[in-house]
Amino acid sequence: MKQLFCFAWIVCLTFTGYVFAQDVAVFYDETVENGGGLAVPNPQQLAEMIVDELDAKKLTAEIVDSDGLAEYMKANPQGIYIITQGNTPGTIFKN
């Protein structure tokens, strides 16, 4: 019985580890208006640069859109996200 219980825990932990594996979510969504306060000329290029820099520091990062950011935040309540457009998408406030 102990072996079955241990096996069940290992299986559960294996699947939960793959929900969102990145350390940081970098937000870029072409459908979201570029905020006037940040006024980044090319936010997509900025997002790609941030991901590359974090990868160089051995941190996993992924570019996410509005829905992807909401999913990331549900799976990682203490997670880190970086906004590259000056606006936080409304999808994270719906839940």
Side-chain angles (χ1 to χ4, degrees):
M1 189 64 160
K2 278 186 184 180
Q3 291 174 338
L4 180 63
F5 183 73
C6 289
F7 179 73
W9 268 106
I10 291 170
V11 169
C12 288
L13 291 175
T14 300
F15 288 116
T16 57
Y18 290 107
V19 173
F20 272 95
Q22 80 259 27
D23 297 315
V24 180
V26 180
F27 172 70
Y28 168 74
D29 190 338
E30 65 183 25
T31 63
V32 174
E33 179 184 342
N34 191 9
L38 192 56
V40 175
N42 191 346
Q44 182 177 8
Q45 184 179 12
L46 175 62
E48 292 166 357
M49 183 188 72
I50 291 170
V51 169
D52 291 343
E53 289 294 320
L54 290 171
D55 285 344
K57 301 288 185 193
K58 307 292 186 235
L59 293 168
T60 55
E62 225 175 86
I63 298 173
V64 296
D65 61 6
S66 297
D67 294 330
L69 181 59
E71 291 173 23
Y72 172 80
M73 292 180 75
K74 284 179 191 173
N76 301 289
Q78 301 295 317
I80 299 169
Y81 74 95
I82 299 172
I83 300 171
T84 60
Q85 294 175 272
N87 290 330
T88 301
T91 56
I92 66 170
F93 301 110
K94 291 180 182 177
N95 295 320

